[in-house]
Amino acid sequence: PDRIAFSHSGYQRGTSKTALASGLVASTFDLVRVNDIAFGATVLRKAVETVRTATGTFQQLDFSEIETPGTYVLRTGGLTTKPFRIGDDVWKSSIWKTLNFYYGNRCGFDVPGVHPVDHLDWFATLGSQRITMSGGWHDAGDLSQGLINTGEGTYAMFSLADKLAARGDDPELVERLIEEAKWGLEWVLRVRFDGGYRVGFGSHNFWSNNIPGDADARTVEAKNNPNANY
């Protein structure tokens, strides 16, 4: 009650724009354009809608018709949200944060202030063959390695870089996307054996000492998994 849930990153032009609340007394809300100094003009006044869903009844503030780029707040009754943006690039900050998160989860890499080169004693195996699993990204909120997840993340980065480059948008971001994608691709191409044998997922959750063959070394047997191969 008495809180408004909205997208802090902002709202992309050409998409739906809504906020949710409960317990609001006022029957209408205002969308107010603001600047760095003071509140500006009210650009929209609209009825607060009641929406009933499987998870409960909520109040919805729908301002999807507003497309003008700028910084705004929502105001209803005595409540005012923090400022948010409407524009064409509101998700850029989320992309940069996601890329930085991937970088911080690099395995086999000296991440400054996080960890040195790690897990050189973890191996993918197929019979007597073995390949170091160090590389790619730590996965699943622990220190695991997942081929499918790594492949999907790598593909997403290359795909986004391709789309941005095609429209001449943000060369710095394109370069950063390609850099991180190459890190994932190198691991995907390396941890494979002849005949389609790959490591689908290696579940680990501790920091090892990088010494092969001792108590904290780990191996994961490669499998010929059609889903991982795809």
Side-chain angles (χ1 to χ4, degrees):
D2 298 327
R3 300 290 294 273
I4 299 174
F6 65 99
S7 173
H8 296 190
S9 296
Y11 297 84
Q12 192 84 359
R13 292 206 309 163
T15 65
S16 63
K17 305 173 189 68
T18 60
L20 295 176
S22 65
L24 299 180
V25 176
S27 60
T28 62
F29 73 91
D30 293 338
L31 180 69
V32 181
R33 183 158 185 168
V34 301
N35 55 36
D36 294 334
I37 301 174
F39 288 113
T42 297
V43 298
L44 178 70
R45 176 165 291 169
K46 199 172 177 181
V48 174
E49 304 173 43
T50 298
V51 179
R52 293 175 175 84
T53 75
T55 54
T57 299
F58 305 93
Q59 291 166 300
Q60 179 173 270
L61 287 57
D62 189 333
F63 50 102
S64 300
E65 58 265 51
I66 302 302
E67 295 288 323
T68 304
T71 302
Y72 300 84
V73 297
L74 290 165
R75 180 187 292 163
T76 179
L79 299 176
T80 301
T81 66
K82 292 183 178 181
F84 57 85
R85 292 184 56 246
I86 293 175
D88 293 322
D89 62 349
V90 296
W91 296 114
K92 286 285 182 72
S93 64
S94 296
I95 295 170
W96 279 104
K97 290 171 184 176
T98 301
L99 283 170
N100 289 339
F101 179 75
Y102 268 89
Y103 178 84
N105 278 301
R106 283 188 181 189
C107 178
F109 183 82
D110 185 0
V111 183
V114 180
H115 64 74
V117 175
D118 57 308
H119 297 119
L120 299 177
D121 52 352
W122 289 3
F123 295 93
T125 61
L126 182 63
S128 61
Q129 304 176 71
R130 70 177 190 177
I131 300 170
T132 177
M133 284 182 59
S134 183
W137 301 290
H138 297 137
D139 193 357
D142 51 24
L143 303 174
S144 299
Q145 299 282 45
L147 180 67
I148 295 173
N149 297 344
T150 302
E152 290 176 345
T154 297
Y155 177 85
M157 293 176 199
F158 277 129
S159 178
L160 180 55
D162 189 51
K163 291 178 180 178
L164 290 173
R167 67 189 194 195
D169 185 5
D170 206 335
E172 183 183 7
L173 180 55
V174 170
E175 181 180 358
R176 178 71 187 91
L177 283 161
I178 293 174
E179 175 193 30
E180 201 62 38
K182 283 182 175 179
W183 180 260
L185 181 61
E186 188 279 332
W187 189 82
V188 169
L189 295 177
R190 176 164 50 79
V191 290
R192 58 181 180 166
F193 299 88
D194 291 341
Y197 285 83
R198 295 176 168 85
V199 175
F201 195 79
S203 183
H204 307 300
N205 61 1
F206 61 90
W207 297 98
S208 59
N209 60 12
N210 286 338
I211 301 174
D214 68 358
D216 67 1
R218 290 291 183 270
T219 61
V220 177
E221 186 74 7
K223 297 179 180 179
N224 194 332
N225 182 317
N227 187 39
N229 289 342
Y230 177 77

